[in-house]
Amino acid sequence: MEHKNLWVYLETEEGAAKNVGYELLNPGRRMADKLGQELVAVVLGKDVEHVARQAIAYGADKVILVEGEEYAVYNTDVQTHAMVELIGKYHPFIVLYGATNNGRDVGPRVACSVHTGLTADCTGLDIDENGLLASTRPAFGGNLMATISCPDHRPQMSTVRAGVFKKPTADEGRTGEIIREEIHLDPAKVRVHLLERVKEVAEAVNLEEAEIIVSGGRGLKSAENFQLVRDLADALGATVGASRAAVDAGWIPHAHQVGQTGKTVAPKVYVACGISGAIQHLAGMSGSDTIIAINKDPDAPIFSVADYGIVGDLFEVLPALTAAIRAKKS
């Protein structure tokens, strides 16, 4: 049985696609071209044809579109059933998912159902010399990077963190084929039913899609001092982030954490305040376009990735920087 084409699972919520799906069309396009195969987006949702058309603009050759009332809200059983049916019909060579809460749920379930492997939380993707998917992810607490392949089973699967790859530039004039599939799961086989949705702080802290992030670390010394970071973020119109040390100390909720055990981000500007730059933190933000580091230790590892570095006491630097930005704006 021949397996061909590279698939990207485009997760939708409330009729809109999660950005990570569009981001994955970037490496997906590059790898599909390297393999001489087609890039196919898979869209499951309710009233999401516009997402399918946008996927073509972002580089997909084809889109498999499955719509229905049961796809309006994510459901493990429904999504898994649809993906397994589609894989059984079309036999893709590679399937990529975003490492969102839902992607981390459906990806492994589908992999288990079709008897293949899955590499989770990847930060790098390529096609190796054998024509296989080479998925790179942090291992041993982020102290080394492991590149993993799946030589014996198909399709090859990976989940990939949001923010690792840049979203492609849309070409609205691009054309492609939309293939509609009717897939429905017997309601009696749906084991989980959504009773209520409770929106929490995590939804207000959208680090993955922020263009500017100001993050605080151990150097702030207390939860109260995080106000200095919030003030600078407010002046810049930025989102507040944090290192694991600050979160573990209880100074700020986990929803703000950047790094290997938090969010992977790639904003236009990342400002690191009192963050030493442990490898686990660097793994989550080194893809930022411009990195500004403020730290009193001139030998802090954060300066090795910074585009601009300020060696100084953040308790003096941050208020002065905030005041200067506000004065400039006014």
Side-chain angles (χ1 to χ4, degrees):
M1 182 187 302
E2 183 187 7
H3 289 77
K4 65 178 183 179
N5 297 336
L6 191 153
W7 286 14
V8 172
Y9 169 83
L10 251 64
E11 179 184 340
T12 64
E13 184 173 12
E14 296 180 348
K18 293 285 184 73
N19 254 349
V20 64
Y22 291 143
E23 291 167 6
L24 286 177
L25 292 172
N26 192 346
R29 180 71 272 165
R30 171 175 52 80
M31 292 190 295
D33 290 343
K34 200 169 181 178
L35 290 165
Q37 298 181 12
E38 291 183 318
L39 176 62
V40 180
V42 180
V43 180
L44 313 179
K46 180 188 175 189
D47 302 326
V48 287
E49 184 177 332
H50 63 284
V51 174
R53 298 197 180 283
Q54 197 63 32
I56 291 169
Y58 281 127
D61 298 305
K62 294 178 179 176
V63 180
I64 298 173
L65 177 62
V66 183
E67 292 186 296
E69 188 66 42
E70 64 264 59
Y71 299 103
V73 177
Y74 176 84
N75 181 284
T76 299
D77 292 326
V78 171
Q79 296 269 334
T80 301
H81 173 73
M83 287 300 293
V84 171
E85 288 282 307
L86 292 173
I87 289 169
K89 179 175 180 178
Y90 290 101
H91 311 298
F93 187 60
I94 293 170
V95 182
L96 304 177
Y97 307 83
T100 61
N101 290 339
N102 294 342
R104 286 170 170 152
D105 178 56
V106 71
R109 287 175 179 271
V110 173
C112 185
S113 298
V114 300
H115 307 292
T116 192
L118 180 143
T119 306
D121 264 13
C122 298
T123 56
L125 297 170
D126 205 353
I127 301 298
D128 68 16
E129 63 275 10
N130 298 313
L132 297 174
L133 175 65
S135 303
T136 302
R137 70 180 308 280
F140 294 101
N143 291 307
L144 61 82
M145 303 299 282
T147 299
I148 299 166
S149 62
C150 180
D152 300 326
H153 301 279
R154 299 290 178 271
Q156 302 157 88
M157 292 192 186
S158 294
T159 60
V160 184
R161 288 189 171 202
V164 170
F165 297 101
K166 298 288 186 185
K167 190 162 66 172
T169 302
D171 176 3
E172 301 299 342
R174 206 169 175 281
T175 58
E177 181 184 1
I178 295 178
I179 303 165
R180 296 180 181 273
E181 291 283 351
E182 286 287 333
I183 302 176
H184 303 284
L185 180 62
D186 181 351
K189 294 182 178 178
V190 179
R191 298 168 294 175
V192 177
H193 299 275
L194 181 68
L195 300 180
E196 181 185 7
R197 297 188 77 177
V198 180
K199 295 194 175 184
E200 58 172 22
V201 66
E203 297 210 359
V205 186
N206 195 351
L207 286 167
E208 291 102 332
E209 298 184 23
E211 293 197 347
I212 305 174
I213 296 173
V214 180
S215 282
R218 195 193 306 274
L220 285 163
K221 299 182 179 178
S222 73
E224 292 71 29
N225 290 333
F226 245 92
Q227 190 58 45
L228 296 172
V229 170
R230 292 189 181 95
D231 289 344
L232 178 57
D234 180 63
L236 289 169
T239 301
V240 174
S243 70
R244 179 173 177 171
V247 172
D248 286 352
W251 299 343
I252 192 166
H254 181 267
H256 293 268
Q257 186 175 320
V258 173
Q260 186 194 333
T261 51
K263 303 286 178 63
T264 299
V265 299
K268 290 181 179 177
V269 179
Y270 187 88
V271 186
C273 310
I275 294 173
S276 63
I279 190 169
Q280 292 89 344
H281 188 79
L282 299 184
M285 47 65 74
S286 56
S288 306
D289 289 348
T290 301
I291 298 171
I292 301 167
I294 303 167
N295 201 296
K296 66 181 180 181
D297 178 7
D299 298 318
I302 191 72
F303 288 121
S304 68
V305 299
D307 298 286
Y308 300 95
I310 300 173
V311 178
D313 185 343
L314 63 83
F315 295 104
E316 297 175 3
V317 174
L318 290 185
L321 193 56
T322 302
I325 290 166
R326 284 179 173 161
K328 182 79 171 175
K329 280 190 168 182
S330 64

